[in-house]
Amino acid sequence: MKPLVLTVAGSDSGGGAGIQADLKTMLALGVHGMSVVTAVTAQNSLGVQGAWELPVAAVRAQYRSVVDDIGVQAVKTGMLSSAELVEAVAELVGATDAPAVIDPVGVSKHGDPLLASSALDSVRRLLLPVATVATPNLDEVAQLTGVRVESESQLRQAAEAVLSYGPRWVLVKGGHLSGDAVDLLTDGTAEHWLRAPRHDNRHTHGTGCTLASAIAAQLAKGRSVPEAVTAAKEYVTGAIAAGFALGGGIGPVDHGWALTRDTSGA
């Protein structure tokens, strides 16, 4: 039987991020993806034109429906736009016996806010403590901790600030810095510095969702956190390299790059 992974996130109508990116990633990595939709967005390559949050009761019912019948080997969370949703999902994930990858989504690739400022305290107090791995980017680190990273040397300080809220591991994503794409994975004791060449490709919509889902997929296969994150970083690096234009703005990464690379010239 395939490993089972559940994503709890918003829908991206453009197909590059959110639930759509998560499920494509899970398919590409050989696990069975399932979903709890937390919000519906009107979104394309140019930005987010609208967002409609689902009621907490609907989110809770979706989660219980999947977990109580099918079960899960890993859970990944993404867009949780309100304090009420954050609190409900933290409670659900905390009561589930499976590793949890928490992507504390704060803003979209285009700078559109996806998390109410009133929800930040709930993310700190309730959601981060249930994380096996938290995967904030530098904007989200600043939003959550006040630590602003401008150089690679500050990644350790950022990681320590996020770890103070209780996740077992944190992956601070340094993709917004110049030079190589450098991320720091640490549990406060062990440190893993993950480097990849920076691809000259602006079509990077959905990278955060994709990375978190890839980590969850690898954890569901039984890999350790460092193994899962390393494999996920390799997958995302390939997906970024294969990113493609879509619409008039920022295109998505190619979630199926490893599946199609041998036949693309046919």
Side-chain angles (χ1 to χ4, degrees):
M1 183 175 174
K2 287 189 176 184
L4 307 171
V5 184
L6 177 63
T7 170
V8 183
S11 167
D12 172 4
S13 53
I19 289 279
Q20 288 81 354
D22 297 340
L23 294 176
K24 291 174 186 178
T25 298
M26 293 169 193
L27 177 67
L29 296 178
V31 301
H32 176 67
M34 304 170 290
S35 62
V36 171
V37 180
T38 60
V40 175
T41 68
Q43 189 173 164
N44 55 28
S45 70
L46 300 174
V48 179
Q49 292 79 43
W52 298 266
E53 183 182 306
L54 265 70
V56 168
V59 171
R60 192 182 296 277
Q62 291 175 80
Y63 193 100
R64 291 263 59 93
S65 179
V66 170
V67 174
D68 293 349
D69 173 48
I70 302 171
V72 291
Q73 270 88 54
V75 179
K76 174 259 175 186
T77 71
M79 178 183 174
L80 305 172
S81 50
S82 69
E84 293 77 16
L85 269 182
V86 170
E87 290 161 15
V89 170
E91 178 188 339
L92 290 163
V93 171
T96 303
D97 185 19
V101 181
I102 304 299
D103 187 17
V105 176
V107 294
S108 77
K109 183 68 69 180
H110 305 86
D112 303 292
L114 299 176
L115 179 72
S117 56
S118 58
L120 285 171
D121 184 57
S122 298
V123 171
R124 297 183 193 104
R125 288 187 303 107
L126 302 172
L127 193 60
L128 289 176
V130 303
T132 306
V133 191
T135 63
N137 63 29
L138 299 185
D139 290 339
E140 291 153 358
V141 167
Q143 203 176 28
L144 289 165
T145 71
V147 175
R148 300 193 178 277
V149 175
E150 295 175 352
S151 68
E152 186 179 317
S153 63
Q154 295 172 294
L155 289 175
R156 185 177 286 118
Q157 179 191 357
E160 289 171 354
V162 177
L163 282 172
S164 71
Y165 292 113
R168 280 181 45 208
W169 291 81
V170 61
L171 176 68
V172 178
K173 299 178 294 190
H176 292 180
L177 298 174
S178 58
D180 284 352
V182 180
D183 305 328
L184 172 59
L185 172 70
T186 181
D187 62 355
T189 303
E191 283 188 355
H192 302 268
W193 293 84
L194 305 170
R195 297 178 183 275
R198 184 175 299 279
H199 293 287
D200 184 19
N201 185 352
R202 73 188 194 93
H203 300 300
T204 56
H205 183 52
T207 48
C209 308
T210 300
L211 179 63
S213 294
I215 295 170
Q218 300 295 353
L219 291 174
K221 294 177 181 180
R223 294 192 168 191
S224 68
V225 170
E227 290 170 342
V229 172
T230 300
K233 170 96 169 174
E234 291 172 1
Y235 167 73
V236 170
T237 299
I240 291 171
F244 57 94
L246 194 72
I250 299 172
V253 301
D254 184 356
H255 300 95
W257 68 271
L259 305 176
T260 58
R261 59 184 170 178
D262 294 331
T263 59
S264 59

